């Protein structure tokens, strides 16, 4: 079964509501109704921008999904500062990113936290975009595959195959994020293939063939083609290049 590629924009902590509405409208204005046949498109703005961005897309009937960048695993209660799955679901989010390396490194998110978030999302009927990836130290040690596949196993512990099948894994080598230094297509493919082999072990070959594995880390219109040509890379999780309409649309068009 051929997997439909996905282009997901992770805006990180960028764009006020006003700026988010402008960027979403710009992307929506470029929208071609043929796109959804060939590519699934997601934008992941900051929480405060989710509803305004979704409103723009709904008004234009643009088939671009909206996702959060993080979510908490409890559904409500005394968790000051957190946002739950039911909250993002009511806004119309299809998914949330979980386990981004910035959350792991800067906010102490553990593999166990990531697992709780994945479970909360699938129980709520949303899917997770699970980020995994090694530091330069791990790569230099030569233990990248073991490190990354352990992150995948931990993220999906106790999740059944039917729930996992709708989820997405994003391989984002930390040394390639925001640095302009992309993994070569061969480096990225090797790890994405190891991720898919792990998904097959966990959930069976059929589910693993359905699940999308994205690459993220300085993906841009100049390097997207070589990466997308790899058999186990099904699209991108885009930081910097998703903040400009022109480059994000070029990345979408590379999937057509
Ligand atoms: P850049 O595309 O800016 O390197 O960011 C990648 C990323 O972290 C997406 O989640």
């Amino acid at each position: 079964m051929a997997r439909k590629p996905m282009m997901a924009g992770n805006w990180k902590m960028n764009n006020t509501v006003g700026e988010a509405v402008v960027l979403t409208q710009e992307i929506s204005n470029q929208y071609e109704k043929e796109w959804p046949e060939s590519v699934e498109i997601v934008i992941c703005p900051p929480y405060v921008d989710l509803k305004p961005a979704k409103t723009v897309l709904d008004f234009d009937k643009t088939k671009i999904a909206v996702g959060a960048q993080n979510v908490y695993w409890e559904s409500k209660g005394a968790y000051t500062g957190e946002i739950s799955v039911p909250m993002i679901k009511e806004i119309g989010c299809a998914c949330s990113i979980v386990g981004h390396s910035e959350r792991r490194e800067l906010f102490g998110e553990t593999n166990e936290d990531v697992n709780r978030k994945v479970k909360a999302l699938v129980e709520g009927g949303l899917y997770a975009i699970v980020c995994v990836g090694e530091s330069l130290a791990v790569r230099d040690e030569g233990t990248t595959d073991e490190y990354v596949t352990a992150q995948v196993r931990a993220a999906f512990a106790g999740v059944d195959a039917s729930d996992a099948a709708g989820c997405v894994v994003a391989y984002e080598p930390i040394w390639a994020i925001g640095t302009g230094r992309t993994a070569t297509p061969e480096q990225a493919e090797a790890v994405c293939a190891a991720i898919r082999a792990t998904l097959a072990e966990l959930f069976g070959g059929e589910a693993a063939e359905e699940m999308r594995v994205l690459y993220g880390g300085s993906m841009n219109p100049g390097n997207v083609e070589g990466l997308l040509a790899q058999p186990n890379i099904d699209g991108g999780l885009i930081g910097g290049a998703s903040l400009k309409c022109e480059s994000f649309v070029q990345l979408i068009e590379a999937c057509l």
Side-chain angles (χ1 to χ4, degrees), residues 10 12 100 102 172 176-179 216-219 237-241:
N10 173 10
K12 308 192 179 182
H100 193 281
E102 286 149 18
E172 301 204 310
I177 295 177
T179 57
S218 300
M219 197 188 242
L237 183 57
I238 316 299

Side-chain angles (χ1 to χ4, degrees), residues 71-84:
V71 75
Y72 195 57
W73 57 81
E74 296 290 349
S75 59
K76 63 177 182 175
Y79 304 102
T80 302
E82 295 296 331
I83 299 285
S84 71

Side-chain angles (χ1 to χ4, degrees), residues 159-191:
V159 177
D160 66 32
S162 61
D163 286 334
C167 290
V168 174
V169 178
Y171 168 54
E172 301 204 310
I174 296 169
W175 47 270
I177 295 177
T179 57
R181 181 179 163 193
T182 329
T184 65
E186 293 71 25
Q187 283 173 324
E189 167 62 17
V191 183

Side-chain angles (χ1 to χ4, degrees), residues 6 12 14 28 35 39-40 48 51 57 64 76 79 94-97 113 115 120 126 133-134 196 228 231 237:
M6 173 180 278
K12 308 192 179 182
N14 292 291
S28 183
W35 284 359
V39 54
E40 201 169 321
V48 294
K51 181 73 177 168
L57 297 169
I64 295 179
K76 63 177 182 175
Y79 304 102
C95 60
S96 177
I97 296 170
D113 296 340
N115 179 237
L126 275 62
E134 82 289 2
R196 198 176 308 284
L228 287 185
L237 183 57

Side-chain angles (χ1 to χ4, degrees), residues 104-149:
R104 294 179 192 255
E105 284 198 328
L106 303 172
F107 302 101
E109 203 163 290
T110 64
N111 276 337
E112 291 70 33
D113 296 340
V114 172
N115 179 237
R116 290 190 188 103
K117 293 176 182 196
V118 172
K119 285 179 173 159
L121 282 162
V122 298
E123 277 162 22
L126 275 62
Y127 67 88
I129 300 178
V130 177
C131 298
V132 295
E134 82 289 2
S135 63
L136 200 52
V138 170
R139 176 154 288 266
D140 288 345
E141 249 169 47
T143 52
T144 295
D145 285 8
E146 292 88 325
Y147 185 87
V148 169
T149 56

